[in-house]
Amino acid sequence: MGYDAHITRAEFWAENAGHEITTTEWSAVVEADPELEPWPENGPHFVRWRGASAMTDAWLDWRDGDVYTKNPDPALLAKCCAIAARLGARVQGDDGEVYELGPDGEAREVGVEASPPASGGPRRSWWRRLLG
């Protein structure tokens, strides 16, 4: 499995209806950022980040109105925070924890601002949402 970081405008990333980041907005960010390189063989909105990451292939992708990445290192998490600022969004982990850039330019967790649905049942994973 893994840990995802989500760039979202929603209170909780998995429930973003009405708060979506559009593909047009994501494409504009990619086009304006020389560190982001389209990587279409992995999907139409998939990009490789050419920044100072310890990861060989640091990447981001747009899906269902959010931008996400899997298992980000600290450098990629900081990049996500910078992208979120451009989009009027924020970075959330899978369980609703929120990250922002600190004064040193590093991403730091600032707390849990939202939590998974209180329906009593488990939160639907991204692959279940994808399947409908």
Side-chain angles (χ1 to χ4, degrees), residues 44-79:
H45 308 291
F46 207 94
V47 300
R48 183 179 300 169
W49 179 50
R50 295 294 192 183
S53 177
M55 302 166 64
T56 304
D57 286 319
W59 58 268
L60 297 119
D61 193 13
W62 177 93
R63 179 183 61 219
D64 296 333
D66 288 336
V67 177
Y68 80 104
T69 190
K70 186 171 289 298
N71 300 323
D73 68 355
L76 182 53
L77 197 55
K79 181 65 174 185

Side-chain angles (χ1 to χ4, degrees), residues 4-8 21 26 29 33 35-36 49 58-61 67-92 99-101 105 107:
D4 291 354
H6 309 268
I7 300 171
T8 186
I21 296 166
W26 175 233
V29 167
D33 191 328
E35 292 183 338
L36 299 177
W49 179 50
W59 58 268
L60 297 119
D61 193 13
V67 177
Y68 80 104
T69 190
K70 186 171 289 298
N71 300 323
D73 68 355
L76 182 53
L77 197 55
K79 181 65 174 185
C80 288
C81 290
I83 291 170
R86 281 188 247 157
L87 290 167
R90 61 182 168 190
V91 177
Q92 277 190 340
Y99 296 89
E100 63 182 33
L101 283 178

